[in-house]
Amino acid sequence: KQEVTQIPAALSVPEGENLVLNCSFTDSAIYNLQWFRQDPGKGLTSLLLIQSSQREQTSGRLNASLDKSSGRSTLYIAASQPGDSATYLCAVRWNAGGTSYGKLTFGQGTILTVHP
Amino acid sequence: DGGITQSPKYLFRKEGQNVTLSCEQNLNHDAMYWYRQDPGQGLRLIYYSQIVNDFQKGDIAEGYSVSREKKESFPLTVTSAQKNPTAFYLCATTSWQGREQYFGPGTRLTVT
C-alpha cells in the first residue's frame, strides 16, 4: 500500500533554531514529492517540488531533500522565525502510465510552532 | 492575477439542503480536484477531473456530485445524502508539465 508518514506530528522550537521535518513513503516508484505549508483556516501553499530525478531543492531558508532508495524526504528550515509557525505537509505523487497524472498521497502533517 | 478562486469563503446551510461550492481557475490546467479536510483526518479526495466532460470518484465520493463543463470551472455539490457535510473543502489543480499541485483558499461549510 502506498502510504506517506510525517514525523513528528508536532514540534515546538525557539526562534532562531534550525529544524528538520521528516517525511517517509512506502514505495520508491514516485513521480515527485511536494512540500506544502498550511496556515489555520487557509488553503495549502506549495513550498518546494522535487522531481524523482532530483536530490534536493532550495528556496530561501528552506531546503528539501529526496532519497528514493530509503523512502525519505526532509524539509530543513534555517533560522526559524515565529512567522514559520504553520502545519507542513508532504505529498507524494506516484508513478502512473499513459495520460494519468498519478495519485497524490498526503502525509498527516507536522504542526510547527516557533516561539519568540 | 493567476490562481484558483473558491467561493464563498464561509457557507451555512440547513440539514437536508443541497449546496454547491464554486471553484474557478485561470491557470489553464486540465486536472482539477476536490478535497475535504477534517480536524485530525488529513486531506481526503472527493472527486477529480483530468479533462473537460470527464471526472472520477475519489476515496469519499458518496453524497457528493460534480460537473466539468468548462476547463476553468469544477463545481462541487454537497447533497442531502452526505451524512457529515460540515468540513473545510479545498479545490486544487495540477499542471501536466511537472505535475505540481496548486490549491485554492478553501470554503468552510457548516450544516446545522
Side-chain angles (χ1 to χ4, degrees):
Chain A
K1 189 179 177 185
Q2 294 169 325
E3 296 179 336
V4 178
T5 305
Q6 290 187 247
I7 294 174
L11 182 63
S12 180
V13 300
E15 182 177 5
E17 265 202 17
N18 301 325
L19 59 98
V20 173
L21 306 181
N22 296 293
C23 173
S24 61
F25 45 94
T26 54
D27 187 343
S28 62
I30 74 169
Y31 187 90
N32 62 29
L33 185 145
Q34 202 167 350
W35 282 95
F36 294 91
R37 167 187 174 137
Q38 186 177 29
D39 294 291
K42 307 287 187 185
L44 279 67
T45 299
S46 180
L47 298 174
L48 290 164
L49 173 72
I50 310 178
Q51 301 296 345
S52 63
S53 59
Q54 298 174 322
R55 296 283 294 184
E56 66 177 346
Q57 283 285 348
T58 299
S59 175
R61 295 183 293 109
L62 305 179
N63 176 278
S65 68
L66 174 64
D67 185 343
K68 286 194 302 180
S69 61
S70 67
R72 293 183 182 181
S73 176
T74 61
L75 179 66
Y76 175 84
I77 302 177
S80 59
Q81 304 169 358
D84 294 330
S85 298
T87 298
Y88 290 80
L89 296 104
C90 76
V92 171
R93 188 173 298 275
W94 311 102
N95 278 335
T99 57
S100 173
Y101 281 73
K103 181 180 178 182
L104 189 67
T105 301
F106 287 85
Q108 292 289 323
T110 295
I111 302 170
L112 173 66
T113 303
V114 182
H115 48 88
Chain B
D1 210 10
I4 303 168
T5 56
Q6 292 186 244
S7 60
K9 187 173 181 180
Y10 299 97
L11 191 53
F12 298 88
R13 280 293 183 268
K14 295 289 187 185
E15 199 172 308
Q17 294 179 336
N18 292 353
V19 59
T20 297
L21 282 60
S22 168
C23 177
E24 303 279 332
Q25 58 106 353
N26 61 5
L27 300 170
N28 201 34
H29 291 166
D30 284 307
M32 297 187 72
Y33 306 78
W34 276 104
Y35 293 90
R36 169 181 174 143
Q37 190 175 37
D38 297 279
Q41 294 239 24
L43 283 158
R44 292 185 289 171
L45 181 65
I46 304 172
Y47 267 99
Y48 65 99
S49 168
Q50 294 189 166
I51 199 166
V52 174
N53 292 323
D54 186 57
F55 48 82
Q56 307 294 329
K57 292 181 179 179
D59 301 318
I60 55 164
E62 186 174 347
Y64 300 97
S65 67
V66 293
S67 63
R68 186 81 189 278
E69 297 176 2
K70 299 187 303 181
K71 187 175 185 177
E72 302 80 15
S73 179
F74 191 40
L76 173 74
T77 297
V78 185
T79 74
S80 57
Q82 168 49 233
K83 297 189 187 315
N84 298 297
T86 294
F88 188 52
Y89 290 87
L90 288 159
C91 178
T93 70
T94 297
S95 62
W96 177 252
Q97 189 75 18
R99 311 286 201 278
E100 186 167 5
Q101 188 104 344
Y102 299 82
F103 281 85
T107 292
R108 183 162 299 280
L109 172 65
T110 303
V111 176
T112 58

